[in-house]
Amino acid sequence: LLENSMGLMILAIAIGTVSAFAGISLIALINTMIEQHRADFGAYGWPFIGLLMGLIISGVVSQVMLSRIGHRIIYRLRLAMVNRVLGTDIESLEKAGDHRLYAVLTKDINDIGNAFSRLPIAIYNGLLLLGGIAYLGYLSLMFLGITLGVVVLGIIVDHFVSTKMYALYKQVRNTEDRLYKQYEAAIEGRNELRLDAARRGHLFHSLLEPAAKICQETKARADIYWAINLNWTVVLIFSLMGLIVFLGINQLNLGLEVVTGYVLALMFLRTPITSLIDMIPNVIAGSVSLKKINQLKLAQYDASWVSEAGDNDLLEFKSLQLRHLAYAYPVQDETDKKDDYTFALKPINLTISAGEILFVIGGNGSGKSTFSKVLTGLYPSTSGQVFINQQLLEAGNQAWYRSHFVTVLSDFYLFDHMLTEQNPLANDQRANHYLERLQIAQKVQVKNGMLSTTDLSQGQRKRLALLAVYLSPRPIVLLDEWAADQDPVFRRVFYHEILPELKAQGKTVIAITHDDKYFDCADRILRFDAGEMRPVESNALSASRPQPDIALTL
């Protein structure tokens, strides 16, 4: 985060050093006037004004530059974290859970950003503190030794208090994961909660309220330690002043100008010291959030991967061949190891030809959706090989391979823009033509590549998702139970009209479906059972198709 701002940071620190020097010089000048009992404008007025001007100009310039660095760091942090999330494999993201990812992109980024935004203030006050210590040494090495002894005592207490605060902030952050999970439940489960008062009460009183209470009480306890630390430091400073005055006047018989100068310098340093202590909670919260992010094991930041493969790199698709392709869900912790049943996709041998319509069937949990994610490259296969146009897929070509697929998965997300790599704003006329074809033109329009709305029923949203399939140049289409939310009339349109249209466009369609009534629309059918794939023969399919109930028909 700092490397791209290092030049500006060095310049800001240099100007901050000038500001610190001007501030200490003002203290020294005032002390000299007290020592010499002179305050005539001719001797001291212009130097005093010059130092004041230097202090305000260098201070403003330094802090503005450092503030800009802080804002730049927050900006880069936000982009970097989204980049890391987007670059992380789907397995790890699903393992983390949406609520933890939302917490990272909101709470953790803000905490780390707040800690970094205090960095400019810390640097500036640190420079003032170093300059002040140098001046204290110039006044009296003996007093400097006493001061450093008090500083060591303050650091010991600060370390103890900060350790306690870190433990409390860590507890708060772990509890906030539970809070975000309940936030997600309150938003995503709003319909069920509206209908079920008992469940609504349980979520609010038994899950959400206790977690929020723990956060409140734990943060309050952490604030107690912070208040103790801050006021302990103030007490130390004033105790040091009193000790300096007592020793300097009564015991060591030092001149009044030395004692006065020392006390003035300590008063001047009180502000930067308390400012540094004041930022401790922000630093602790940021460090806890950073550790929380690291626990998710997100991908490292890579600026190049976002534009790694586009539609310009697509092959003229001819065939896709899977040889002994298998997949097993990764075991990432002890909880997984204790699970008696770990689902795995057994080795698959399959060849898919261009322009083919392939149906994938099977019961719930049989492996259909897992197969779809392995086939499209969202999950890396555990073993086996993939050939596209007889070309072996290498590890470094995964992004290029994925760019051949356009999908509507069961957990699809509907974007409000019609954006493709080849044509940044897809032709509105063409898009609106397909909206007519999908029978939702009366609900939504495309203008300047943007959908007028996505606030539709689930079946209509799926039709909008299919619009991207029509507009995409990608040759392989994968649809996961697309027709499940369609009415009977449009379901027939999908199987008897849309699928043949896609095939006529040269697209290869792989559709996961339960609609046995339309199985005759497929060129081939594959059945999954407990992770094992078998082709379905046409006669076996006819025998397994349910027969109408004669009595009911009559």
Side-chain angles (χ1 to χ4, degrees), residues 367-400:
K368 304 185 302 299
S369 294
T370 301
F371 167 72
S372 70
K373 291 186 176 181
V374 176
L375 179 67
T376 55
L378 293 175
Y379 286 174
S381 61
T382 306
S383 60
Q385 295 175 315
V386 176
F387 292 83
I388 183 168
N389 288 7
Q390 306 298 320
Q391 178 181 338
L392 177 63
L393 177 63
E394 304 288 351
N397 289 338
Q398 287 289 339
W400 168 80

PDB file of all heavy atoms in Angstrom, residues 367-400:
ATOM      1  N   GLY A 367     -24.906 -34.445  -7.808  1.00  0.00           N
ATOM      2  CA  GLY A 367     -23.639 -33.978  -8.374  1.00  0.00           C
ATOM      3  C   GLY A 367     -23.784 -33.118  -9.609  1.00  0.00           C
ATOM      4  O   GLY A 367     -22.773 -32.735 -10.212  1.00  0.00           O
ATOM      5  N   LYS A 368     -25.014 -32.774  -9.988  1.00  0.00           N
ATOM      6  CA  LYS A 368     -25.222 -32.016 -11.232  1.00  0.00           C
ATOM      7  C   LYS A 368     -24.577 -30.627 -11.156  1.00  0.00           C
ATOM      8  O   LYS A 368     -23.840 -30.220 -12.061  1.00  0.00           O
ATOM      9  CB  LYS A 368     -26.720 -31.880 -11.512  1.00  0.00           C
ATOM     10  CG  LYS A 368     -27.493 -33.198 -11.579  1.00  0.00           C
ATOM     11  CD  LYS A 368     -28.931 -32.980 -11.983  1.00  0.00           C
ATOM     12  CE  LYS A 368     -29.686 -32.053 -11.061  1.00  0.00           C
ATOM     13  NZ  LYS A 368     -29.780 -32.546  -9.670  1.00  0.00           N
ATOM     14  N   SER A 369     -24.866 -29.893 -10.084  1.00  0.00           N
ATOM     15  CA  SER A 369     -24.325 -28.538  -9.973  1.00  0.00           C
ATOM     16  C   SER A 369     -22.819 -28.550  -9.769  1.00  0.00           C
ATOM     17  O   SER A 369     -22.101 -27.676 -10.278  1.00  0.00           O
ATOM     18  CB  SER A 369     -25.014 -27.799  -8.814  1.00  0.00           C
ATOM     19  OG  SER A 369     -26.385 -27.585  -9.100  1.00  0.00           O
ATOM     20  N   THR A 370     -22.326 -29.540  -9.025  1.00  0.00           N
ATOM     21  CA  THR A 370     -20.877 -29.664  -8.873  1.00  0.00           C
ATOM     22  C   THR A 370     -20.226 -29.913 -10.224  1.00  0.00           C
ATOM     23  O   THR A 370     -19.191 -29.319 -10.561  1.00  0.00           O
ATOM     24  CB  THR A 370     -20.541 -30.802  -7.900  1.00  0.00           C
ATOM     25  OG1 THR A 370     -21.146 -30.539  -6.636  1.00  0.00           O
ATOM     26  CG2 THR A 370     -19.043 -30.936  -7.723  1.00  0.00           C
ATOM     27  N   PHE A 371     -20.841 -30.793 -11.013  1.00  0.00           N
ATOM     28  CA  PHE A 371     -20.332 -31.069 -12.363  1.00  0.00           C
ATOM     29  C   PHE A 371     -20.297 -29.796 -13.205  1.00  0.00           C
ATOM     30  O   PHE A 371     -19.329 -29.537 -13.936  1.00  0.00           O
ATOM     31  CB  PHE A 371     -21.208 -32.128 -13.031  1.00  0.00           C
ATOM     32  CG  PHE A 371     -20.979 -32.263 -14.509  1.00  0.00           C
ATOM     33  CD1 PHE A 371     -19.825 -32.844 -15.009  1.00  0.00           C
ATOM     34  CD2 PHE A 371     -21.933 -31.785 -15.408  1.00  0.00           C
ATOM     35  CE1 PHE A 371     -19.614 -32.958 -16.386  1.00  0.00           C
ATOM     36  CE2 PHE A 371     -21.741 -31.892 -16.769  1.00  0.00           C
ATOM     37  CZ  PHE A 371     -20.573 -32.477 -17.263  1.00  0.00           C
ATOM     38  N   SER A 372     -21.344 -28.977 -13.083  1.00  0.00           N
ATOM     39  CA  SER A 372     -21.393 -27.751 -13.887  1.00  0.00           C
ATOM     40  C   SER A 372     -20.253 -26.815 -13.522  1.00  0.00           C
ATOM     41  O   SER A 372     -19.671 -26.156 -14.394  1.00  0.00           O
ATOM     42  CB  SER A 372     -22.743 -27.054 -13.696  1.00  0.00           C
ATOM     43  OG  SER A 372     -22.855 -26.495 -12.399  1.00  0.00           O
ATOM     44  N   LYS A 373     -19.891 -26.735 -12.245  1.00  0.00           N
ATOM     45  CA  LYS A 373     -18.819 -25.837 -11.829  1.00  0.00           C
ATOM     46  C   LYS A 373     -17.446 -26.383 -12.197  1.00  0.00           C
ATOM     47  O   LYS A 373     -16.522 -25.617 -12.488  1.00  0.00           O
ATOM     48  CB  LYS A 373     -18.919 -25.565 -10.329  1.00  0.00           C
ATOM     49  CG  LYS A 373     -20.143 -24.724  -9.966  1.00  0.00           C
ATOM     50  CD  LYS A 373     -20.175 -24.334  -8.506  1.00  0.00           C
ATOM     51  CE  LYS A 373     -21.372 -23.420  -8.215  1.00  0.00           C
ATOM     52  NZ  LYS A 373     -21.441 -23.004  -6.811  1.00  0.00           N
ATOM     53  N   VAL A 374     -17.310 -27.697 -12.174  1.00  0.00           N
ATOM     54  CA  VAL A 374     -16.041 -28.297 -12.607  1.00  0.00           C
ATOM     55  C   VAL A 374     -15.888 -28.154 -14.117  1.00  0.00           C
ATOM     56  O   VAL A 374     -14.813 -27.806 -14.628  1.00  0.00           O
ATOM     57  CB  VAL A 374     -15.963 -29.772 -12.186  1.00  0.00           C
ATOM     58  CG1 VAL A 374     -14.682 -30.422 -12.725  1.00  0.00           C
ATOM     59  CG2 VAL A 374     -16.002 -29.906 -10.667  1.00  0.00           C
ATOM     60  N   LEU A 375     -16.981 -28.390 -14.844  1.00  0.00           N
ATOM     61  CA  LEU A 375     -16.943 -28.313 -16.305  1.00  0.00           C
ATOM     62  C   LEU A 375     -16.584 -26.903 -16.769  1.00  0.00           C
ATOM     63  O   LEU A 375     -15.787 -26.725 -17.698  1.00  0.00           O
ATOM     64  CB  LEU A 375     -18.301 -28.712 -16.876  1.00  0.00           C
ATOM     65  CG  LEU A 375     -18.442 -28.656 -18.399  1.00  0.00           C
ATOM     66  CD1 LEU A 375     -17.569 -29.713 -19.058  1.00  0.00           C
ATOM     67  CD2 LEU A 375     -19.890 -28.827 -18.817  1.00  0.00           C
ATOM     68  N   THR A 376     -17.146 -25.882 -16.122  1.00  0.00           N
ATOM     69  CA  THR A 376     -16.895 -24.506 -16.541  1.00  0.00           C
ATOM     70  C   THR A 376     -15.593 -23.937 -15.987  1.00  0.00           C
ATOM     71  O   THR A 376     -15.224 -22.803 -16.301  1.00  0.00           O
ATOM     72  CB  THR A 376     -18.050 -23.593 -16.097  1.00  0.00           C
ATOM     73  OG1 THR A 376     -18.241 -23.730 -14.682  1.00  0.00           O
ATOM     74  CG2 THR A 376     -19.336 -23.962 -16.816  1.00  0.00           C
ATOM     75  N   GLY A 377     -14.894 -24.702 -15.134  1.00  0.00           N
ATOM     76  CA  GLY A 377     -13.631 -24.241 -14.585  1.00  0.00           C
ATOM     77  C   GLY A 377     -13.767 -23.411 -13.325  1.00  0.00           C
ATOM     78  O   GLY A 377     -12.773 -22.866 -12.837  1.00  0.00           O
ATOM     79  N   LEU A 378     -14.983 -23.291 -12.772  1.00  0.00           N
ATOM     80  CA  LEU A 378     -15.147 -22.574 -11.512  1.00  0.00           C
ATOM     81  C   LEU A 378     -14.523 -23.352 -10.357  1.00  0.00           C
ATOM     82  O   LEU A 378     -14.001 -22.755  -9.413  1.00  0.00           O
ATOM     83  CB  LEU A 378     -16.636 -22.324 -11.238  1.00  0.00           C
ATOM     84  CG  LEU A 378     -17.331 -21.351 -12.206  1.00  0.00           C
ATOM     85  CD1 LEU A 378     -18.817 -21.279 -11.902  1.00  0.00           C
ATOM     86  CD2 LEU A 378     -16.691 -19.969 -12.132  1.00  0.00           C
ATOM     87  N   TYR A 379     -14.615 -24.679 -10.398  1.00  0.00           N
ATOM     88  CA  TYR A 379     -13.910 -25.541  -9.462  1.00  0.00           C
ATOM     89  C   TYR A 379     -12.752 -26.203 -10.206  1.00  0.00           C
ATOM     90  O   TYR A 379     -12.953 -26.697 -11.324  1.00  0.00           O
ATOM     91  CB  TYR A 379     -14.809 -26.650  -8.922  1.00  0.00           C
ATOM     92  CG  TYR A 379     -15.847 -26.245  -7.907  1.00  0.00           C
ATOM     93  CD1 TYR A 379     -16.784 -27.163  -7.451  1.00  0.00           C
ATOM     94  CD2 TYR A 379     -15.899 -24.952  -7.393  1.00  0.00           C
ATOM     95  CE1 TYR A 379     -17.761 -26.807  -6.524  1.00  0.00           C
ATOM     96  CE2 TYR A 379     -16.862 -24.594  -6.469  1.00  0.00           C
ATOM     97  CZ  TYR A 379     -17.789 -25.520  -6.041  1.00  0.00           C
ATOM     98  OH  TYR A 379     -18.745 -25.180  -5.123  1.00  0.00           O
ATOM     99  N   PRO A 380     -11.563 -26.226  -9.640  1.00  0.00           N
ATOM    100  CA  PRO A 380     -10.468 -26.955 -10.284  1.00  0.00           C
ATOM    101  C   PRO A 380     -10.641 -28.461 -10.071  1.00  0.00           C
ATOM    102  O   PRO A 380     -10.960 -28.910  -8.964  1.00  0.00           O
ATOM    103  CB  PRO A 380      -9.228 -26.435  -9.558  1.00  0.00           C
ATOM    104  CG  PRO A 380      -9.727 -26.046  -8.203  1.00  0.00           C
ATOM    105  CD  PRO A 380     -11.133 -25.552  -8.394  1.00  0.00           C
ATOM    106  N   SER A 381     -10.467 -29.224 -11.116  1.00  0.00           N
ATOM    107  CA  SER A 381     -10.631 -30.678 -10.981  1.00  0.00           C
ATOM    108  C   SER A 381      -9.552 -31.254 -10.075  1.00  0.00           C
ATOM    109  O   SER A 381      -8.422 -30.752 -10.017  1.00  0.00           O
ATOM    110  CB  SER A 381     -10.569 -31.348 -12.359  1.00  0.00           C
ATOM    111  OG  SER A 381      -9.317 -31.104 -12.962  1.00  0.00           O
ATOM    112  N   THR A 382      -9.914 -32.303  -9.350  1.00  0.00           N
ATOM    113  CA  THR A 382      -8.944 -32.977  -8.494  1.00  0.00           C
ATOM    114  C   THR A 382      -7.986 -33.828  -9.316  1.00  0.00           C
ATOM    115  O   THR A 382      -6.800 -33.934  -9.011  1.00  0.00           O
ATOM    116  CB  THR A 382      -9.681 -33.857  -7.462  1.00  0.00           C
ATOM    117  OG1 THR A 382     -10.628 -33.057  -6.761  1.00  0.00           O
ATOM    118  CG2 THR A 382      -8.703 -34.477  -6.479  1.00  0.00           C
ATOM    119  N   SER A 383      -8.504 -34.429 -10.368  1.00  0.00           N
ATOM    120  CA  SER A 383      -7.673 -35.248 -11.247  1.00  0.00           C
ATOM    121  C   SER A 383      -8.328 -35.304 -12.622  1.00  0.00           C
ATOM    122  O   SER A 383      -9.482 -34.899 -12.798  1.00  0.00           O
ATOM    123  CB  SER A 383      -7.500 -36.668 -10.681  1.00  0.00           C
ATOM    124  OG  SER A 383      -8.763 -37.312 -10.555  1.00  0.00           O
ATOM    125  N   GLY A 384      -7.600 -35.827 -13.581  1.00  0.00           N
ATOM    126  CA  GLY A 384      -8.129 -35.973 -14.929  1.00  0.00           C
ATOM    127  C   GLY A 384      -7.648 -34.876 -15.861  1.00  0.00           C
ATOM    128  O   GLY A 384      -6.888 -33.978 -15.481  1.00  0.00           O
ATOM    129  N   GLN A 385      -8.094 -34.952 -17.112  1.00  0.00           N
ATOM    130  CA  GLN A 385      -7.654 -34.021 -18.145  1.00  0.00           C
ATOM    131  C   GLN A 385      -8.858 -33.467 -18.910  1.00  0.00           C
ATOM    132  O   GLN A 385      -9.903 -34.114 -19.005  1.00  0.00           O
ATOM    133  CB  GLN A 385      -6.708 -34.713 -19.131  1.00  0.00           C
ATOM    134  CG  GLN A 385      -5.395 -35.178 -18.513  1.00  0.00           C
ATOM    135  CD  GLN A 385      -4.552 -35.963 -19.514  1.00  0.00           C
ATOM    136  OE1 GLN A 385      -5.074 -36.823 -20.225  1.00  0.00           O
ATOM    137  NE2 GLN A 385      -3.268 -35.665 -19.578  1.00  0.00           N
ATOM    138  N   VAL A 386      -8.683 -32.259 -19.437  1.00  0.00           N
ATOM    139  CA  VAL A 386      -9.689 -31.613 -20.277  1.00  0.00           C
ATOM    140  C   VAL A 386      -9.027 -31.231 -21.592  1.00  0.00           C
ATOM    141  O   VAL A 386      -7.948 -30.623 -21.607  1.00  0.00           O
ATOM    142  CB  VAL A 386     -10.273 -30.362 -19.597  1.00  0.00           C
ATOM    143  CG1 VAL A 386     -11.255 -29.657 -20.532  1.00  0.00           C
ATOM    144  CG2 VAL A 386     -10.966 -30.723 -18.289  1.00  0.00           C
ATOM    145  N   PHE A 387      -9.672 -31.597 -22.697  1.00  0.00           N
ATOM    146  CA  PHE A 387      -9.188 -31.230 -24.027  1.00  0.00           C
ATOM    147  C   PHE A 387     -10.269 -30.379 -24.699  1.00  0.00           C
ATOM    148  O   PHE A 387     -11.434 -30.762 -24.734  1.00  0.00           O
ATOM    149  CB  PHE A 387      -8.918 -32.468 -24.885  1.00  0.00           C
ATOM    150  CG  PHE A 387      -7.756 -33.296 -24.411  1.00  0.00           C
ATOM    151  CD1 PHE A 387      -7.920 -34.231 -23.389  1.00  0.00           C
ATOM    152  CD2 PHE A 387      -6.501 -33.151 -24.984  1.00  0.00           C
ATOM    153  CE1 PHE A 387      -6.869 -34.996 -22.941  1.00  0.00           C
ATOM    154  CE2 PHE A 387      -5.441 -33.918 -24.542  1.00  0.00           C
ATOM    155  CZ  PHE A 387      -5.620 -34.841 -23.518  1.00  0.00           C
ATOM    156  N   ILE A 388      -9.880 -29.230 -25.227  1.00  0.00           N
ATOM    157  CA  ILE A 388     -10.789 -28.408 -26.001  1.00  0.00           C
ATOM    158  C   ILE A 388     -10.213 -28.296 -27.410  1.00  0.00           C
ATOM    159  O   ILE A 388      -9.076 -27.872 -27.589  1.00  0.00           O
ATOM    160  CB  ILE A 388     -11.004 -27.019 -25.340  1.00  0.00           C
ATOM    161  CG1 ILE A 388     -12.013 -26.202 -26.134  1.00  0.00           C
ATOM    162  CG2 ILE A 388      -9.717 -26.277 -25.101  1.00  0.00           C
ATOM    163  CD1 ILE A 388     -12.505 -24.959 -25.400  1.00  0.00           C
ATOM    164  N   ASN A 389     -10.987 -28.767 -28.391  1.00  0.00           N
ATOM    165  CA  ASN A 389     -10.501 -28.878 -29.783  1.00  0.00           C
ATOM    166  C   ASN A 389      -9.205 -29.683 -29.840  1.00  0.00           C
ATOM    167  O   ASN A 389      -8.225 -29.296 -30.490  1.00  0.00           O
ATOM    168  CB  ASN A 389     -10.274 -27.497 -30.388  1.00  0.00           C
ATOM    169  CG  ASN A 389     -11.573 -26.778 -30.690  1.00  0.00           C
ATOM    170  OD1 ASN A 389     -12.649 -27.248 -30.336  1.00  0.00           O
ATOM    171  ND2 ASN A 389     -11.487 -25.630 -31.339  1.00  0.00           N
ATOM    172  N   GLN A 390      -9.171 -30.784 -29.093  1.00  0.00           N
ATOM    173  CA  GLN A 390      -8.022 -31.675 -29.036  1.00  0.00           C
ATOM    174  C   GLN A 390      -6.803 -31.043 -28.363  1.00  0.00           C
ATOM    175  O   GLN A 390      -5.720 -31.626 -28.367  1.00  0.00           O
ATOM    176  CB  GLN A 390      -7.619 -32.142 -30.452  1.00  0.00           C
ATOM    177  CG  GLN A 390      -8.741 -32.771 -31.266  1.00  0.00           C
ATOM    178  CD  GLN A 390      -9.293 -34.032 -30.612  1.00  0.00           C
ATOM    179  OE1 GLN A 390      -8.534 -34.833 -30.063  1.00  0.00           O
ATOM    180  NE2 GLN A 390     -10.602 -34.216 -30.674  1.00  0.00           N
ATOM    181  N   GLN A 391      -6.965 -29.860 -27.786  1.00  0.00           N
ATOM    182  CA  GLN A 391      -5.855 -29.165 -27.138  1.00  0.00           C
ATOM    183  C   GLN A 391      -5.968 -29.356 -25.630  1.00  0.00           C
ATOM    184  O   GLN A 391      -6.987 -29.029 -25.032  1.00  0.00           O
ATOM    185  CB  GLN A 391      -5.886 -27.673 -27.493  1.00  0.00           C
ATOM    186  CG  GLN A 391      -4.798 -26.849 -26.821  1.00  0.00           C
ATOM    187  CD  GLN A 391      -4.884 -25.384 -27.197  1.00  0.00           C
ATOM    188  OE1 GLN A 391      -5.457 -25.031 -28.231  1.00  0.00           O
ATOM    189  NE2 GLN A 391      -4.321 -24.512 -26.373  1.00  0.00           N
ATOM    190  N   LEU A 392      -4.911 -29.889 -25.024  1.00  0.00           N
ATOM    191  CA  LEU A 392      -4.914 -30.164 -23.590  1.00  0.00           C
ATOM    192  C   LEU A 392      -4.952 -28.853 -22.802  1.00  0.00           C
ATOM    193  O   LEU A 392      -4.183 -27.931 -23.064  1.00  0.00           O
ATOM    194  CB  LEU A 392      -3.674 -30.973 -23.201  1.00  0.00           C
ATOM    195  CG  LEU A 392      -3.510 -31.284 -21.693  1.00  0.00           C
ATOM    196  CD1 LEU A 392      -4.650 -32.160 -21.190  1.00  0.00           C
ATOM    197  CD2 LEU A 392      -2.156 -31.942 -21.434  1.00  0.00           C
ATOM    198  N   LEU A 393      -5.858 -28.789 -21.845  1.00  0.00           N
ATOM    199  CA  LEU A 393      -5.968 -27.616 -20.997  1.00  0.00           C
ATOM    200  C   LEU A 393      -4.854 -27.646 -19.952  1.00  0.00           C
ATOM    201  O   LEU A 393      -4.765 -28.571 -19.150  1.00  0.00           O
ATOM    202  CB  LEU A 393      -7.335 -27.583 -20.315  1.00  0.00           C
ATOM    203  CG  LEU A 393      -7.569 -26.434 -19.331  1.00  0.00           C
ATOM    204  CD1 LEU A 393      -7.509 -25.096 -20.049  1.00  0.00           C
ATOM    205  CD2 LEU A 393      -8.902 -26.614 -18.617  1.00  0.00           C
ATOM    206  N   GLU A 394      -4.008 -26.613 -19.974  1.00  0.00           N
ATOM    207  CA  GLU A 394      -2.923 -26.498 -19.014  1.00  0.00           C
ATOM    208  C   GLU A 394      -3.368 -25.637 -17.836  1.00  0.00           C
ATOM    209  O   GLU A 394      -4.354 -24.886 -17.907  1.00  0.00           O
ATOM    210  CB  GLU A 394      -1.688 -25.875 -19.687  1.00  0.00           C
ATOM    211  CG  GLU A 394      -1.197 -26.616 -20.919  1.00  0.00           C
ATOM    212  CD  GLU A 394      -0.535 -27.953 -20.595  1.00  0.00           C
ATOM    213  OE1 GLU A 394      -0.301 -28.214 -19.386  1.00  0.00           O
ATOM    214  OE2 GLU A 394      -0.257 -28.719 -21.532  1.00  0.00           O
ATOM    215  N   ALA A 395      -2.578 -25.711 -16.757  1.00  0.00           N
ATOM    216  CA  ALA A 395      -2.934 -24.974 -15.543  1.00  0.00           C
ATOM    217  C   ALA A 395      -2.989 -23.464 -15.783  1.00  0.00           C
ATOM    218  O   ALA A 395      -3.822 -22.762 -15.220  1.00  0.00           O
ATOM    219  CB  ALA A 395      -1.925 -25.293 -14.430  1.00  0.00           C
ATOM    220  N   GLY A 396      -2.107 -22.955 -16.636  1.00  0.00           N
ATOM    221  CA  GLY A 396      -2.065 -21.524 -16.880  1.00  0.00           C
ATOM    222  C   GLY A 396      -3.135 -21.013 -17.817  1.00  0.00           C
ATOM    223  O   GLY A 396      -3.236 -19.795 -18.040  1.00  0.00           O
ATOM    224  N   ASN A 397      -3.943 -21.912 -18.399  1.00  0.00           N
ATOM    225  CA  ASN A 397      -4.954 -21.511 -19.374  1.00  0.00           C
ATOM    226  C   ASN A 397      -6.379 -21.578 -18.821  1.00  0.00           C
ATOM    227  O   ASN A 397      -7.337 -21.558 -19.584  1.00  0.00           O
ATOM    228  CB  ASN A 397      -4.872 -22.406 -20.628  1.00  0.00           C
ATOM    229  CG  ASN A 397      -3.635 -22.112 -21.438  1.00  0.00           C
ATOM    230  OD1 ASN A 397      -3.064 -21.034 -21.341  1.00  0.00           O
ATOM    231  ND2 ASN A 397      -3.200 -23.079 -22.226  1.00  0.00           N
ATOM    232  N   GLN A 398      -6.512 -21.664 -17.506  1.00  0.00           N
ATOM    233  CA  GLN A 398      -7.835 -21.818 -16.915  1.00  0.00           C
ATOM    234  C   GLN A 398      -8.745 -20.626 -17.229  1.00  0.00           C
ATOM    235  O   GLN A 398      -9.926 -20.799 -17.566  1.00  0.00           O
ATOM    236  CB  GLN A 398      -7.718 -21.983 -15.392  1.00  0.00           C
ATOM    237  CG  GLN A 398      -7.176 -23.340 -14.950  1.00  0.00           C
ATOM    238  CD  GLN A 398      -8.169 -24.458 -15.172  1.00  0.00           C
ATOM    239  OE1 GLN A 398      -9.373 -24.228 -15.280  1.00  0.00           O
ATOM    240  NE2 GLN A 398      -7.678 -25.683 -15.246  1.00  0.00           N
ATOM    241  N   ALA A 399      -8.208 -19.411 -17.134  1.00  0.00           N
ATOM    242  CA  ALA A 399      -9.029 -18.225 -17.405  1.00  0.00           C
ATOM    243  C   ALA A 399      -9.474 -18.200 -18.861  1.00  0.00           C
ATOM    244  O   ALA A 399     -10.624 -17.867 -19.166  1.00  0.00           O
ATOM    245  CB  ALA A 399      -8.248 -16.955 -17.058  1.00  0.00           C
ATOM    246  N   TRP A 400      -8.569 -18.533 -19.749  1.00  0.00           N
ATOM    247  CA  TRP A 400      -8.908 -18.591 -21.174  1.00  0.00           C
ATOM    248  C   TRP A 400      -9.979 -19.650 -21.429  1.00  0.00           C
ATOM    249  O   TRP A 400     -10.913 -19.434 -22.193  1.00  0.00           O
ATOM    250  CB  TRP A 400      -7.643 -18.901 -21.974  1.00  0.00           C
ATOM    251  CG  TRP A 400      -7.895 -19.258 -23.410  1.00  0.00           C
ATOM    252  CD1 TRP A 400      -8.138 -18.402 -24.443  1.00  0.00           C
ATOM    253  CD2 TRP A 400      -7.931 -20.574 -23.954  1.00  0.00           C
ATOM    254  NE1 TRP A 400      -8.318 -19.100 -25.607  1.00  0.00           N
ATOM    255  CE2 TRP A 400      -8.208 -20.435 -25.342  1.00  0.00           C
ATOM    256  CE3 TRP A 400      -7.763 -21.855 -23.425  1.00  0.00           C
ATOM    257  CZ2 TRP A 400      -8.308 -21.535 -26.186  1.00  0.00           C
ATOM    258  CZ3 TRP A 400      -7.860 -22.934 -24.269  1.00  0.00           C
ATOM    259  CH2 TRP A 400      -8.139 -22.773 -25.640  1.00  0.00           C
TER     260      TRP A 400
END
